[in-house]
Amino acid sequence: MDNFSILAERVIAYQIKTAWHEMEKVYNKVAAEHDASLSMGFALLTIDEEGTPVTHIAPRMGMEPNSLSRLLRSMETKGFIYRKKEAADKRKVYICLTEKGIHMREVAIKMVFRLNKMIVGEIENEKLQAFFEVIEQVKNSVATMKKQLEEKAI
């Protein structure tokens, strides 16, 4: 075994990245069959049936607002969403699903839960609970490191 393999086996970030990469390939294959992408599918999952303020979507997806703008433009071009301004405050914009968007949202939900059911079905309940505890700690540790890096930058 080479040094990279030895290191990669022990690095949590690498394990998460490679697992996510495999999941991403599955999701993108299905999305491509519907002229969409994984990012579009996840965006559709964050949008409520009655519409969602555009300012709520990026935080739900863990995206930067400028990346979200490009994604929403693409989704609008494909006919998945439309924008609606609030009557009382024209600055507030809601992203709403079209009929095509509602259909695509249902496809995304089915795929997410299909893969989730498969994964959960192959893991013992106590191991699954331990996974959620560990992943929560990973997120906490990342947040702590992010804060430390921000403090050093000042």
Side-chain angles (χ1 to χ4, degrees), residues 38-103:
L38 168 69
S39 296
M40 289 178 185
F42 276 108
L44 290 167
L45 294 175
T46 68
I47 300 169
D48 296 328
E49 295 278 336
E50 64 276 354
T52 299
V54 71
T55 55
H56 292 187
I57 297 171
R60 289 179 179 181
M61 292 184 63
M63 289 181 82
E64 295 299 320
N66 56 347
S67 298
L68 179 64
S69 294
R70 287 190 302 270
L71 178 63
L72 292 178
R73 270 194 306 274
S74 179
M75 292 173 68
E76 201 167 18
T77 300
K78 291 180 182 289
F80 297 152
I81 61 166
Y82 64 95
R83 296 167 198 255
K84 179 176 75 176
K85 290 187 178 183
E86 188 176 89
D89 183 355
K90 300 281 186 197
R91 296 172 298 170
K92 197 166 192 177
V93 177
Y94 285 83
I95 301 299
C96 302
L97 300 174
T98 62
E99 287 299 318
K100 188 176 180 182
I102 291 169
H103 170 73

Side-chain angles (χ1 to χ4, degrees), residues 82-131:
Y82 64 95
R83 296 167 198 255
K84 179 176 75 176
K85 290 187 178 183
E86 188 176 89
D89 183 355
K90 300 281 186 197
R91 296 172 298 170
K92 197 166 192 177
V93 177
Y94 285 83
I95 301 299
C96 302
L97 300 174
T98 62
E99 287 299 318
K100 188 176 180 182
I102 291 169
H103 170 73
M104 287 304 302
R105 185 174 192 267
E106 291 169 3
V107 170
I109 288 169
K110 285 179 187 172
M111 278 310 299
V112 166
F113 282 105
R114 181 176 172 192
L115 182 56
N116 194 71
K117 183 177 178 182
M118 185 176 288
I119 293 168
V120 168
E122 296 177 2
I123 300 174
E124 298 169 20
N125 209 22
E126 55 275 354
K127 286 185 178 180
L128 190 61
Q129 186 60 39
F131 167 78

